[in-house]
Amino acid sequence: MNIAPLILDDRARGVFRVHRSTMTSEDMLALERERIFSRAWLYVGHESELAEPGAYRRRSVGGRPLVFVRGADSVIRVLHNTCPHRGAIVCRQDAGVAKTFQCFYHAWTFDNRGQLVGVPDEAAYAPGFDRSERSLQPVARHDSYRGFHFVCFDRDAGALGDYLAGAREILDLVVDQSLDGRMQVVSGEQRYSIRANWKLLAENSIDGYHAAPVHRTYLAYLQGTGAMRPGETVVTGRARALGNGHAVIEYRAPWGRPVARWAPTFGEVARGEIEAIRAELRSRYGDERAERIADWNRNLLIFPNLVVNDIMAVTLRTFSPIGAAEMDVTAWEIAPGEESGERLARRLHSFLEFLGPGGFATPDDVEALDSCQIGFAADGVEWSDISRGMAREPRPDDELQMRSFWREWHARMTGTRRSDWSDGRFAA
Amino acid sequence: MTGAAEDARLLRQLRVADFLSREAKLLDEWRLEEWLALFTDDARYVVPGTDDPQADPSRSLVLVDDDRERLGWRVKRLLSGHAHREFPWSRTRRIVSNVLVEDSPPGRIFAGASFVVWRFRHRHADPFIGHADYDLVDDGAGLRIAAKRITIDQESLSPNGALSMIL
Ligand code: FES
Ligand SMILES: [Fe+2]
């Protein structure tokens, strides 16, 4: 397959186009599995999800079944969830705490570090039977950054820290809203699927341009509840390419933020408490950083499929293709570890007003993605246009973020290397 | 159970089944203002995620956790013509069955029912299958809903993708 001509990136004319076969072809998806999902660092889970030794979560990452588990030695590991004997799925529950995992097929038993500890009738094997080479296999690479755990199926990939590049600073801003730097994943997952190519959700999650038209009913809710003045601009701020295909939009917006921007829907009683959080942030980080943490929103995409949106609450979202025209999505909420009771309830309430498949916004995003996919499948129009803001300092309602994603996508798919993901002239 | 007590229980069961059929009809016909009027002022409407039907929405992430005010905004939004996933409205058909009435204090009826909601749109047929638990106020002025809590049986909102209408 010739990938090279599928992206048109003309910086001189300020034109960027993507060929729509990138969104519809199963062959393209097979190549993406090989060149992107088998080689990039992928998010697997957060340390707070494994609170005690033996705690585990079953995960599917890049289409592969994995177990994310804290061993009896407290070390977090990521193991392929397939039996080294003859293949069966070993861990068959979504979450729990276990000392051992027993494969149901022939009853091989593994401890929570993945070591084979029991084989029925082991004497049937030749002398020298080596349990250690028949243990649950760890993924090729596994590392974490500030509580976020990632895996990579390519043994030769570079280090996670280098991969995350400028995204580290944005994750720092998210994590530092916890005064002891300890975020927790709130219990409860939102699982849904969308009849659209996975890359459409990467684009949508960092797209400030669609906020006003698509989320008009949410803005009406903000106005109706007193959070937003009529005619107020929805988003003002900036967009940046962070390297390696990651991108962020940072902006001010009318909605409340549990840390630490009060809005009328939080109720009068919360006002003092939120002021106190803000004061604490100031004394800890200084005025400028405290304001950035408290008042500014950020939608962060970590290439290829992790979204961290720190908006009216903080959501983590990953998505994986299950076909060229369908993806599975999982979303979580993360909150400062010190939050509980009323404070946590307030954050949860704030999350649901906008986010998730039952919120006032996400269903309309799902509709937009469905709709684009129907348009692509019609096959009459070959190219999509992603040129907005190419000749100016990029804003959150421009499309630099998507271009940065697509530039990395193109480099990986064609086996080339890039060192610049911005629009050149206006490199941040 | 004596004959009279059994008759009273069956009568209550029949009243609740009748009420739930009427509720389903209002939702199927998108008469959402009338549907909203079935709720008390302090009502709560909760849809937990598919991963944990027991989730407590004040401590766990769920799909929907509306008080009466936000439920009002939900209705307003769906009737606005700008809730894009439901404009034009999808066609729906709710089958409500297995209505059971529990022991309840005076003036209240705790009840449950199973449902299948079919949603048709963009040439797809997406079912939602589950159970609803109700806390109904029965104070002589007709039944009203003080709490409605949904359990979705599917493992994921798939392939339906979103909860864009009201269950
Ligand atoms: S496949 Fe697991 S014990 Fe045989
Ligand atoms: Fe959106």
Side-chain angles (χ1 to χ4, degrees):
Chain A
M1 196 181 323
N2 187 5
I3 306 296
L6 298 181
I7 305 277
L8 182 98
D9 187 357
D10 186 342
R11 294 181 179 191
R13 280 173 59 225
V15 175
F16 193 99
R17 295 205 175 108
V18 174
H19 197 267
R20 293 180 175 185
S21 62
T22 57
M23 300 291 205
T24 55
S25 150
E26 295 293 341
D27 292 342
M28 193 77 65
L29 175 60
L31 208 60
E32 287 177 334
R33 288 197 191 284
E34 176 194 323
R35 298 192 178 169
I36 294 175
F37 290 100
S38 297
R39 293 191 194 159
W41 282 93
L42 304 171
Y43 178 71
V44 59
H46 190 267
E47 65 180 15
S48 65
E49 295 177 280
L50 305 177
E52 54 185 303
Y56 67 88
R57 303 272 173 169
R58 204 157 66 122
R59 289 282 142 88
S60 171
V61 176
R64 297 173 208 246
L66 305 176
V67 195
F68 178 50
V69 56
R70 191 185 287 274
D73 54 1
S74 282
V75 174
I76 293 180
R77 294 180 178 80
V78 186
L79 308 166
H80 286 283
N81 190 10
T82 167
C83 187
H85 178 223
R86 274 163 46 203
I89 295 294
V90 175
C91 173
R92 302 205 302 151
Q93 297 203 76
D94 286 341
V97 179
K99 283 201 172 65
T100 56
F101 299 97
Q102 186 172 62
C103 179
F104 78 101
Y105 200 2
H106 312 92
W108 283 23
T109 305
F110 307 87
D111 70 13
N112 55 24
R113 297 170 309 154
Q115 299 300 311
L116 179 62
V117 292
V119 176
D121 195 16
E122 198 173 319
Y125 289 89
F129 177 83
D130 186 354
R131 287 184 177 184
S132 70
E133 60 184 30
R134 294 169 173 89
S135 290
L136 286 173
Q137 195 180 309
V139 294
R141 302 283 298 281
H142 165 215
D143 201 354
S144 69
Y145 182 76
R146 300 207 67 182
F148 299 92
H149 284 251
F150 291 81
V151 296
C152 181
F153 302 114
D154 176 7
R155 205 161 289 283
D156 302 323
L160 174 66
D162 297 336
Y163 179 82
L164 291 175
R168 279 177 300 175
E169 189 223 349
I170 308 300
L171 287 174
D172 289 344
L173 288 166
V174 173
V175 174
D176 286 349
Q177 66 179 272
S178 160
L179 293 169
D180 55 6
R182 196 173 47 86
M183 295 297 278
Q184 61 172 341
V185 171
V186 177
S187 72
E189 282 181 9
Q190 296 182 331
R191 299 176 188 159
Y192 54 110
S193 62
I194 308 179
R195 292 182 173 106
N197 185 275
W198 67 276
K199 298 186 287 303
L200 277 169
L201 189 55
E203 291 186 346
N204 170 267
S205 298
I206 44 170
D207 177 17
Y209 194 20
H210 80 286
V214 171
H215 302 311
R216 182 168 161 169
T217 57
Y218 172 68
L219 301 175
Y221 165 79
L222 288 181
Q223 288 178 16
T225 54
M228 182 179 175
R229 294 184 308 278
E232 188 178 339
T233 317
V234 185
V235 300
T236 54
R238 55 182 178 259
R240 283 191 297 145
L242 299 169
N244 295 333
H246 320 313
V248 69
I249 54 175
E250 295 178 279
Y251 55 98
R252 288 174 183 274
W255 50 77
R257 291 169 49 76
V259 62
R261 184 178 187 276
W262 184 82
T265 41
F266 294 155
E268 273 309 317
V269 264
R271 205 192 267 262
E273 203 177 319
I274 287 178
E275 271 314 311
I277 302 172
R278 177 186 281 270
E280 179 67 34
L281 289 170
R282 269 211 201 93
S283 73
R284 189 167 294 230
Y285 300 118
D287 288 356
E288 199 185 318
R289 186 169 177 81
E291 187 189 311
R292 211 169 153 207
I293 292 172
D295 290 338
W296 285 72
N297 299 274
R298 52 209 131 246
N299 295 38
L300 168 67
L301 172 72
I302 295 181
F303 186 92
N305 67 340
L306 173 65
V307 167
V308 185
N309 282 357
D310 177 3
I311 44 183
M312 66 295 298
V314 190
T315 188
L316 291 180
R317 181 191 288 162
T318 63
F319 37 97
S320 317
I322 46 181
E326 193 169 7
M327 75 181 107
D328 273 337
V329 187
T330 309
W332 298 269
E333 175 165 21
I334 57 168
E338 61 268 32
E339 278 190 8
S340 60
E342 269 307 303
R343 259 182 84 183
L344 181 60
R346 189 159 73 222
R347 178 180 288 276
L348 285 157
H349 197 263
S350 188
F351 186 105
L352 293 180
E353 73 181 21
F354 185 88
L355 288 162
F360 285 4
T362 301
D364 295 329
D365 291 304
V366 172
E367 181 70 3
L369 272 51
D370 267 19
S371 182
C372 294
Q373 195 70 36
I374 293 170
F376 297 157
D379 209 20
V381 175
E382 282 190 66
W383 297 87
S384 289
D385 184 278
I386 311 188
S387 311
R388 186 174 159 94
M390 218 163 151
R392 67 175 177 185
E393 202 72 48
R395 302 188 339 193
D397 53 351
D398 285 337
E399 292 171 338
L400 165 69
Q401 315 83 272
M402 294 104 212
R403 291 191 288 277
S404 147
F405 172 86
W406 280 107
R407 283 170 181 146
E408 176 67 12
W409 182 89
H410 191 246
R412 284 182 175 268
M413 292 289 278
T414 51
T416 51
R417 283 190 158 273
R418 275 198 88 97
S419 56
D420 175 18
W421 293 262
S422 69
D423 292 330
R425 258 183 306 170
F426 295 97
Chain B
M1 204 176 278
T2 67
E6 179 68 355
D7 287 354
R9 191 186 68 81
L10 287 174
L11 191 62
R12 280 200 311 166
Q13 201 270 355
L14 213 54
R15 282 179 65 216
V16 171
D18 176 71
F19 177 78
L20 298 186
S21 298
R22 287 175 196 285
E23 187 208 0
K25 182 175 163 73
L26 293 177
L27 288 170
D28 281 338
E29 295 175 359
W30 288 87
R31 289 155 62 188
L32 301 185
E33 304 270 17
E34 289 167 72
W35 175 77
L36 186 63
L38 300 178
F39 285 77
T40 62
D41 287 345
D42 59 353
R44 191 130 181 219
Y45 173 76
V46 173
V47 186
T50 53
D51 61 327
D52 181 12
Q54 311 303 328
D56 168 1
S58 63
R59 292 188 308 153
S60 296
L61 179 64
V62 294
L63 297 172
V64 177
D65 177 25
D66 284 352
D67 54 19
R68 179 63 164 68
E69 191 191 346
R70 195 152 76 184
L71 196 57
W73 281 104
R74 186 174 297 278
V75 163
K76 203 186 224 132
R77 178 179 125 72
L78 287 168
L79 294 177
S80 71
H82 300 289
H84 309 287
R85 195 161 179 80
E86 293 298 343
F87 186 79
W89 294 326
S90 51
R91 296 180 183 208
T92 65
R93 183 63 61 196
R94 288 162 174 74
I95 311 295
V96 178
S97 180
N98 306 13
V99 177
L100 282 179
V101 171
E102 311 294 337
D103 285 340
S104 319
R108 291 304 248 238
I109 302 178
F110 301 148
S114 299
F115 63 77
V116 176
V117 181
W118 283 97
R119 174 178 183 271
F120 302 96
R121 200 147 181 276
H122 292 328
R123 310 179 57 157
H124 292 294
D126 289 334
F128 293 88
I129 296 152
H131 184 85
D133 286 300
Y134 290 86
D135 174 358
L136 300 170
V137 174
D138 182 21
D139 58 5
L143 298 177
R144 270 166 307 134
I145 304 169
K148 178 175 179 180
R149 186 182 164 106
I150 303 283
T151 300
I152 297 174
D153 292 334
Q154 283 121 312
E155 295 171 290
S156 153
L157 287 183
S158 174
N160 27 43
L163 203 54
S164 50
M165 12 70 81
I166 291 171
L167 287 181

